């Protein structure tokens, strides 16, 4: 008899929590450190290096997570009992994947347009541009960051609603243990 598991696969659980931490770090770093630091600061290249590496790692891990999600058996959908809220939850999850991939792509496009790989990783003597705002992908990167933060907030509200409002032990599904 093939029954649905009550928890997600351990690989998905580990990737979920690792990516949650890395995405939070990348968003915090971009919003509170890089955005506020002038491009003339001697610390900017090191900060960009860390942010770029983090973005590449997040993009790669999201691909691994997507493949694992498609190849492993998942628990039944956690219903709220309200079709509109259930659809909002499905859309929010799809949106998280979409926005994280778009964030990585817009960051990569910005880096390529601004010549950052040579400057940040290659030791090129080139200087950073006066502002990254001149690059359309960087502007898009900022919009995506705001949308991603809002969607993460919505995701957290959904988790809180399930865990404490519906008391359906939703968090146990995304934790380690017998499936």
């Amino acid at each position: 008899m093939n029954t649905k598991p009550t928890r997600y696969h351990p690989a998905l659980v580990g990737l979920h929590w690792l990516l949650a931490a890395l995405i939070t770090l990348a968003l915090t770093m971009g919003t509170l450190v890089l955005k506020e630091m002038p491009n003339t600061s001697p610390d900017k290249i090191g900060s960009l290096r860390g942010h770029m590496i983090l973005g590449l790692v997040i993009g790669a891990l999201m691909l691994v997570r997507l493949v694992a999600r498609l190849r492993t058996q998942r628990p039944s959908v956690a219903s709220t009992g309200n079709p509109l809220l259930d659809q909002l939850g499905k859309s929010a999850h799809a949106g998280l994947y979409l926005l994280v991939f778009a964030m990585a792509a817009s960051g990569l496009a910005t880096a390529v347009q601004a010549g950052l790989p040579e400057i940040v990783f290659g030791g090129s003597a080139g200087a950073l541009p006066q502002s990254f705002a001149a690059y359309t992908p960087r502007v898009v990167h900022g919009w995506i960051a705001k949308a991603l933060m809002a969607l993460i907030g919505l995701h957290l509200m959904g988790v809180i609603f399930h865990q404490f409002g519906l008391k359906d032990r939703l968090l146990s599904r995304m934790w380690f243990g017998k499936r």
Side-chain angles (χ1 to χ4, degrees):
M1 185 163 121
N2 192 6
T3 60
K4 286 235 181 217
T6 57
R7 297 177 192 266
Y8 284 90
H9 190 278
L12 282 172
V13 172
L15 285 167
H16 175 274
W17 292 109
L18 176 60
L19 281 161
L22 294 177
I23 290 167
T24 300
L25 178 61
L27 287 169
T28 302
M29 196 174 175
T31 304
L32 300 179
V33 177
L34 287 170
K35 185 178 172 189
E36 302 301 322
M37 186 182 296
N39 286 1
T40 55
S41 169
D43 296 330
K44 185 77 172 216
I45 290 178
S47 296
L48 277 170
R49 185 179 302 121
H51 188 70
M52 290 168 67
I53 290 169
L54 194 53
L56 290 170
V57 168
I58 289 168
L61 289 175
M62 280 298 290
L63 279 173
V64 170
R65 183 169 191 237
L66 181 60
V67 169
R69 185 168 172 23
L70 295 172
R71 299 188 83 183
T72 59
Q73 197 175 22
R74 296 180 298 278
S76 299
V77 173
S79 177
T80 62
N82 179 315
L84 184 62
L85 288 177
D86 291 347
Q87 184 56 50
L88 181 62
K90 287 179 188 175
S91 298
H93 283 101
L96 286 168
Y97 276 90
L98 179 69
L99 288 176
V100 171
F101 283 127
M103 194 74 170
S106 63
L108 188 58
T110 302
V112 169
Q113 280 190 0
L116 293 181
E118 297 82 20
I119 297 169
V120 173
F121 298 109
S124 169
L128 294 175
Q130 185 176 357
S131 170
F132 290 111
Y135 301 100
T136 301
R138 169 52 192 95
V139 174
V140 171
H141 196 67
W143 293 339
I144 295 169
K146 289 172 183 62
L148 184 56
M149 286 186 257
L151 197 51
I152 290 169
L154 184 65
H155 180 67
L156 291 172
M157 288 176 13
V159 169
I160 291 166
F161 175 68
H162 272 277
Q163 189 70 23
F164 301 108
L166 297 176
K167 298 181 189 276
D168 62 3
R169 298 181 31 96
L170 180 84
L171 282 172
S172 68
R173 296 160 46 100
M174 192 49 80
W175 198 247
F176 300 99
K178 187 177 179 194
R179 295 189 68 209

